[in-house]
Amino acid sequence: QWYAGAITYCFDNDIISGYDDGTFQPEKTINRQEAASILKNAFNLTGNSGEKFPDDSAIAGWAKENVYAVKHSGLMKGDADGNFRPTDYIKRAESASIMMNAFNKGYLK
């Protein structure tokens, strides 16, 4: 498949690990908390402002550290109501905004 090299790179560099059952599922869409995890790993993000999203209880336990590290970095933000919407699929416009934020903050060159 055309994406095999990218998957191997991301797996070898601990950016994406796949699912607990050992599968990667490359055709599956990802949600916002999964995207946050990828960003945290890709950019080695740390930190937490301590400010919780109003929908914090909807964020999976495995994703909380990742979500709040990405929030702290400024790469991802909440919606107009401040909610993170962790299980919503990430949209192309959100992805573009994240990449612009990453560039503006010096994570990308």
Side-chain angles (χ1 to χ4, degrees):
Q1 297 291 342
W2 61 268
Y3 48 73
I7 291 170
T8 300
Y9 175 86
C10 289
F11 180 80
D12 289 348
N13 288 281
D14 295 322
I15 296 170
I16 300 173
S17 60
Y19 292 91
D20 289 337
D21 65 0
T23 62
F24 186 76
Q25 303 179 28
E27 303 298 326
K28 187 174 182 179
T29 56
I30 64 170
N31 60 41
R32 289 174 51 81
Q33 65 190 357
E34 291 170 326
S37 297
I38 292 167
L39 290 166
K40 181 198 175 273
N41 294 339
F43 296 124
N44 297 311
L45 302 175
T46 60
N48 183 335
S49 67
E51 183 181 323
K52 302 284 185 205
F53 287 107
D55 60 346
D56 176 74
S57 64
I59 301 169
W62 61 264
K64 285 193 187 231
E65 177 184 341
N66 305 328
V67 166
Y68 287 108
V70 171
K71 178 181 194 248
H72 180 69
S73 74
L75 296 183
M76 291 180 81
K77 302 171 184 164
D79 63 15
D81 297 320
N83 291 305
F84 186 72
R85 302 179 341 269
T87 58
D88 284 7
Y89 295 127
I90 192 157
K91 296 179 175 101
R92 292 171 64 110
E94 291 172 310
S95 298
S97 177
I98 291 165
M99 291 299 105
M100 184 187 71
N101 291 341
F103 179 79
N104 288 336
K105 293 181 178 298
Y107 292 105
L108 298 173
K109 296 187 184 342

